[in-house]
Amino acid sequence: MATQPILSVEGISLSFGGLKVLSEVSFQVNPGEIFAIIGPNGAGKTSILNCIGGFYRPSAGRIFFGGEDITRTSPDRRAARGLARTFQNIALFRGMTVLDNIKLGAHAHLRTGLLSALMYWGPAHREEMALRERVEHEVIDFLEIEPIRKQAVGSLAYGLQKRVELARALAMEPKVLLMDEPVAGMNAEETEDMARFVLDIKEERDVTIVLIEHDMNVIMDISDRVMVVNFGQKIAEGTPDEVQHHPEVIKAYLGEKKG
Amino acid sequence: MRMGDFKQTYAADEAVFRSGTVRFWLVVLLLALAAFPFMVGPYLLYMANLTGVAIIAAVGLNILTGAAGQISLGHAAFVGIGAYTSAILTTKLGLPFLVCLPLSGLSAAFFGIIVGAPSMRMKGLYLCIATLAAQVIFDFIFVHWTSVTGGIRGINVPSAELFGYKLDTEFKMYFVTIPIMIAAITAARNLFRTRVGRAFIAIRDRDISAELMGINLFQYKLYAFAASSFYAGVAGCLQVYLLRIVTPEHFPLHESIRYLAMIIVGGLGSVLGSIFGAIFMTMVPEALQSGLAMFQGMDDKLMSYLFPLQTVVFGLLIVAFLVFEPHGLAEMWRRVKNYFRLWPFEH
């Protein structure tokens, strides 16, 4: 038997008022793979990520993470279990430095409570120092953002902000990383860097990645499997090569041949 | 970046006072604070004590409003709860000052959590109105629950006693108020170096992604309410022992607004800003008043126009801050510091 999927989405539907956003979408993501979701604008890709992350609650269907049903689990609990997320429109905490943003990612792994935080004595101090060391070695070195660690996030260039967002997600030590358009709006060099980081994360850290992207070159280069959605429905799934030649996919992207 | 000031350990890099120069000036400041009461009269000491109390309350409000982004129009009510708690515990149960102090904080924190509970469903202006309701309700209770609060006449409180030593002058109270103020400032500064403080700021900046980072929004909002009203309660307790009386007149709505003005003028989300703001809001009205006192006796008719003017001047100052320095006094201080960092060499 094949390995158990780490993330399994079973027939989720979602509607806003009368608008049906997703209808019975199902897919499974295997541990250690890069799973891409593509589709035209408004197809419901981000809504799928929002359902997995817990920001939206699907009206039907179930979501399993590591074999456990998380359909009714709150977003913060899901994060604590190892589900991390980056956003299409950067959602960093703009009032903080890069370092603080990254440290925030580790929130669920820390224990300091309100009282010991006020004292900053013993355990709280040790925990902060251990965190700083871990974040420096495992995230800041890895993503090559040493020079900007003390800068305010708001003052950084767009491409760097995206990288900081990835850094924050990595500090969560996720099992599954959900990425919403990681290279959107980046130039060729930044795109290449980001693709390299995504591959490194998968290979060196055993993180499973689910990503949405419009850049077909990136998708075809790095993903193991691709799912195509259109109008809230899954229309194809397979290796990048299979999907590229799928008649439904060609129809969705290029329209039907006349006559 | 500051040159020639390199760190070898993460602990040194994360320290609050990061260089020898800063630590030197800190010691100078502490010595000056210790020497202050021996050099000035009771009036200035009274002002210093009031400022100390205002700083504690303002730091508390800045945790809730500046850092966690939950606007509160009920801060004065929590100061009041702390004040009434210690007044009642002292007069009815005869509890000593050192027991009353934490209990005032805790009772204010308890009510803070209750008032903060609607924050689960409400944000921004709606929450603001809910805290306004709390302010009005507590004010009503202070006035009308005569058997406990003494109504509008309030409660007279004997002077505090510490280890059998009566704190019956401004001079003696100074040595209680200022150390507690320093402890309160230190604790708040520590808070913002840890995961709890970071979570507060995350909730303010972007609550949705804070939740996806694993922060339980409701729990942390209640933490912010509890911490903030604990500070208010402690400030209230000190205020009672300073004034030796507590009446509802000390905690009206405009007092809550005054606390908000402190943290806005000083700098939202900055501990240093709360200190500057509290000093500004306590000292400037006094300065305006004593400035006017110089004209006293010149012309009675002129005076009747000039006295209301101080409120106008004060209001203008606040508006000017909002327009020209929205990040407050803390930001001005940072700019001055940056200027002198390489002084006299321009950069």
Side-chain angles (χ1 to χ4, degrees), chain B residues 256-268:
Chain B
S256 281
I257 296 170
R258 201 173 72 98
Y259 286 124
L260 266 183
M262 282 181 198
I263 61 171
I264 291 169
V265 166
L268 284 172

Side-chain angles (χ1 to χ4, degrees), chain B residues 104-296:
Chain B
S104 311
L106 287 177
S107 83
F110 172 75
F111 287 104
I113 289 172
I114 293 175
V115 171
S119 69
M120 179 163 60
R121 296 258 171 239
M122 292 192 273
K123 288 205 277 200
L125 273 178
Y126 299 94
L127 182 67
C128 186
I129 298 298
T131 58
L132 175 63
Q135 164 76 38
V136 174
I137 290 167
F138 285 121
D139 203 18
F140 185 85
I141 293 172
F142 296 154
V143 175
H144 292 277
W145 197 10
T146 322
S147 59
V148 175
T149 64
I152 43 169
R153 300 225 317 277
I155 305 171
N156 286 299
V157 183
S159 53
E161 234 176 80
L162 202 62
F163 308 119
Y165 190 71
K166 254 194 170 357
L167 304 170
D168 50 1
T169 62
E170 295 294 342
F171 181 82
K172 290 172 186 164
M173 272 308 283
Y174 180 89
F175 289 99
V176 176
T177 313
I178 299 302
I180 292 175
M181 176 195 86
I182 291 172
I185 294 170
T186 313
R189 195 64 191 75
N190 282 337
L191 182 69
F192 292 117
R193 308 202 268 168
T194 56
R195 88 195 257 265
V196 183
R198 282 194 299 267
F200 287 165
I201 299 173
I203 292 172
R204 177 195 70 192
D205 281 0
R206 214 175 265 263
D207 53 355
I208 291 165
S209 66
E211 198 174 15
L212 294 175
M213 294 289 99
I215 295 167
N216 184 331
L217 293 186
F218 187 47
Q219 180 192 357
Y220 276 86
K221 283 180 185 174
L222 288 189
Y223 274 1
F225 269 99
S228 154
S229 31
F230 184 88
Y231 272 78
V234 167
C237 173
L238 288 172
Q239 185 179 330
V240 165
Y241 287 110
L242 277 175
L243 307 177
R244 307 253 183 76
I245 186 167
V246 53
T247 73
E249 273 172 40
H250 292 121
F251 319 106
L253 174 61
H254 72 74
E255 185 74 2
S256 281
I257 296 170
R258 201 173 72 98
Y259 286 124
L260 266 183
M262 282 181 198
I263 61 171
I264 291 169
V265 166
L268 284 172
S270 146
V271 175
L272 188 65
S274 340
I275 301 171
F276 286 153
I279 295 174
F280 182 90
M281 294 293 287
T282 322
M283 290 305 188
V284 169
E286 288 297 319
L288 286 175
Q289 200 150 21
S290 45
L292 275 179
M294 294 196 301
F295 296 100
Q296 196 96 47

Side-chain angles (χ1 to χ4, degrees), chain B residues 9-71:
Chain B
T9 63
Y10 292 129
D13 196 43
E14 301 259 335
V16 174
F17 302 106
R18 298 182 62 232
S19 73
T21 329
V22 177
R23 280 190 288 269
F24 169 76
W25 285 111
L26 181 73
V27 172
V28 170
L29 176 69
L30 289 178
L31 287 177
L33 275 178
F36 180 75
F38 298 100
M39 300 188 292
V40 299
Y43 174 70
L44 276 182
L45 275 175
Y46 167 74
M47 286 311 295
N49 283 335
L50 274 193
T51 310
V53 170
I55 287 176
I56 297 172
V59 168
L61 183 60
N62 223 342
I63 292 175
L64 178 66
T65 301
Q70 314 294 308
I71 301 172

